[in-house]
Amino acid sequence: MSAVSDRLPAFPWDKLEPYKKTAAAHPDGIVDLSVGTPVDPVPEHVQKALIAAADSPGYPTVWGTPELRDALTRWVEHRLGAREVTHRHVLPVVGSKELVAWLPTQLGLGPGDQVAYPRLAYPTYEVGARLARADHVAYDDPTELGPARLKLLWLNSPSNPTGRVLPKEELTRIVAWAREHGVLVLSDECYLELGWEADPVSVLHPDVNGGSYDGIVAVHSLSKRSNLAGYRAAFLAGDPAVLGPLLEIRKHGGMMTSAPTQAAVVAALGDDEHVRVQRERYAARRTALRDALLAHGFRIEHSEASLYLWATRDESCWDTVAHLADHGILVAPGDFYGPAGDRFVRVALTATDERVRAAVTRLTS
């Protein structure tokens, strides 16, 4: 077992513990803006769907119920603008982090193969490569990479942590380059419904892929848009030539979404109103925190989408973490997402309205 764990970096969040204790000692309590975990209620109709399916004594299927696959295909067409999506184009997964971490292994990648991801990125892209014993490389522009050993190219728009959105033209260019060189594109689009100053576009849109899903797969999650992080509900959509073998592998591995969760996903994807309401909550929190950070002397870059503000005081990210902890506010240091983030912090919008008001008061008083 140690041989596997030795391939992995130290778990970064453990380094925040001393700062968390400092923030928690504030007389009015901690405002935790570090981890982007939802705090608002699961929509009532989704809870009811989960409860109604609670009597599920049998094993669920990895591919999901026909009702779930119908819901996935409808949503991909309705929300992403994809066309002619069938059950073969979708695959439910047990939360997106599990998928990211184990995808290189499930694709059969190993020593000599290369996995690429953005210079500033969700750390699990690298973890997935390490688990598979594949090489990994961070990029600014993936088309500048040597394609000979590159097998898996991660895109992430809107970005975690920066909130940057890749324009349609850039996505189109990257997809064309990847296809030319036989590189599989995985597009992590988990924050796509949270665009503020930009309108994120999926790689599944025909303007990007030319009407073909060859060599492209998009990753979507219900954690943020529907407050279902505790349900572990996500899915893939794209190339059936990729999803078919993945389905068989995941069937052998027993990687199945629980039956009640499948029913909850059907209910969540069939309703747009709760997404609108949640967007309004996050928009209000974003405005309040953004204004307060700017008033406190921060500069904010990108952040045109997603659930984070990418902020800097032009100092070491750890100095900023310590400064905010003294105000009872906990944020994530930018170097968690790569060395290029060492002068930034990631500020999550996932706190209650009351806690956001507390943070705003501390930053502006």
Side-chain angles (χ1 to χ4, degrees), residues 86-165:
T86 72
H87 286 194
R88 294 174 57 248
H89 293 92
V90 295
L91 178 63
V93 295
V94 192
S96 57
K97 184 169 186 175
E98 167 264 306
L99 181 279
V100 173
W102 292 108
L103 182 65
T105 299
Q106 292 173 5
L107 291 174
L109 304 188
D113 296 324
Q114 192 176 69
V115 176
Y117 47 81
R119 182 78 59 192
L120 286 163
Y122 185 46
T124 311
Y125 302 136
E126 177 184 337
V127 167
R130 287 177 177 269
L131 286 171
R133 299 184 180 180
D135 296 331
H136 53 89
V137 60
Y139 64 78
D140 293 310
D141 179 348
T143 66
E144 295 176 355
L145 297 172
R149 295 190 300 118
L150 182 59
K151 303 298 182 184
L152 174 59
L153 172 62
W154 281 106
L155 304 181
N156 181 208
S157 175
S159 163
N160 174 15
T162 68
R164 181 190 175 206
V165 172

Side-chain angles (χ1 to χ4, degrees), residues 251-289:
K251 283 162 64 174
H252 281 291
M255 306 179 89
M256 47 190 129
T257 306
S258 76
T261 296
Q262 292 187 31
V265 170
V266 173
L269 291 181
D271 173 65
D272 291 334
E273 177 60 17
H274 78 277
V275 180
R276 184 192 65 77
V277 170
Q278 189 61 46
R279 275 182 52 88
E280 289 183 353
R281 290 187 184 122
Y282 284 136
R285 293 167 187 165
R286 178 181 183 272
T287 298
L289 286 169

Side-chain angles (χ1 to χ4, degrees), residues 91-333:
L91 178 63
V93 295
V94 192
S96 57
K97 184 169 186 175
E98 167 264 306
L99 181 279
V100 173
W102 292 108
L103 182 65
T105 299
Q106 292 173 5
L107 291 174
L109 304 188
D113 296 324
Q114 192 176 69
V115 176
Y117 47 81
R119 182 78 59 192
L120 286 163
Y122 185 46
T124 311
Y125 302 136
E126 177 184 337
V127 167
R130 287 177 177 269
L131 286 171
R133 299 184 180 180
D135 296 331
H136 53 89
V137 60
Y139 64 78
D140 293 310
D141 179 348
T143 66
E144 295 176 355
L145 297 172
R149 295 190 300 118
L150 182 59
K151 303 298 182 184
L152 174 59
L153 172 62
W154 281 106
L155 304 181
N156 181 208
S157 175
S159 163
N160 174 15
T162 68
R164 181 190 175 206
V165 172
L166 296 178
K168 183 190 297 183
E169 296 75 18
E170 189 167 351
L171 286 172
T172 302
R173 178 179 64 85
I174 293 170
V175 167
W177 176 87
R179 283 175 168 166
E180 179 184 353
H181 296 287
V183 176
L184 176 62
V185 172
L186 261 289
S187 182
D188 181 346
E189 302 174 353
C190 290
Y191 295 92
L192 184 136
E193 293 194 278
L194 296 167
W196 311 116
E197 297 160 2
D199 187 14
V201 178
S202 172
V203 295
L204 302 182
H205 195 285
D207 287 353
V208 173
N209 61 43
S212 167
Y213 302 117
D214 290 350
I216 57 172
V217 175
V219 184
H220 284 271
S221 168
L222 285 85
S223 292
K224 306 305 194 297
R225 50 101 65 194
S226 299
N227 298 330
L228 295 191
Y231 285 42
R232 308 316 301 135
F235 63 94
L236 304 179
D239 191 347
V242 177
L243 300 190
L246 277 179
L247 172 61
E248 295 305 311
I249 292 165
R250 295 173 68 84
K251 283 162 64 174
H252 281 291
M255 306 179 89
M256 47 190 129
T257 306
S258 76
T261 296
Q262 292 187 31
V265 170
V266 173
L269 291 181
D271 173 65
D272 291 334
E273 177 60 17
H274 78 277
V275 180
R276 184 192 65 77
V277 170
Q278 189 61 46
R279 275 182 52 88
E280 289 183 353
R281 290 187 184 122
Y282 284 136
R285 293 167 187 165
R286 178 181 183 272
T287 298
L289 286 169
R290 182 184 180 92
D291 290 349
L293 288 166
L294 292 173
H296 197 75
F298 280 86
R299 187 177 77 256
I300 295 172
E301 293 191 0
H302 298 303
S303 307
E304 60 258 31
S306 84
L307 283 183
Y308 311 104
L309 294 169
W310 188 239
T312 181
R313 300 205 312 166
D314 293 311
E315 64 184 5
S316 162
C317 60
W318 288 100
D319 288 344
T320 305
V321 169
H323 170 78
L324 291 175
D326 288 339
H327 287 71
I329 301 169
L330 189 67
V331 298

Side-chain angles (χ1 to χ4, degrees), residues 26-71:
H26 190 279
D28 186 37
I30 188 173
V31 179
D32 192 342
L33 305 177
S34 60
V35 181
T37 185
V39 297
D40 299 303
V42 173
E44 185 175 356
H45 76 285
V46 178
Q47 293 187 49
K48 288 181 177 178
L50 183 87
I51 293 167
D55 186 14
S56 298
Y59 290 111
T61 62
V62 173
W63 201 15
T65 62
E67 293 78 12
L68 174 60
R69 284 178 263 136
D70 283 344

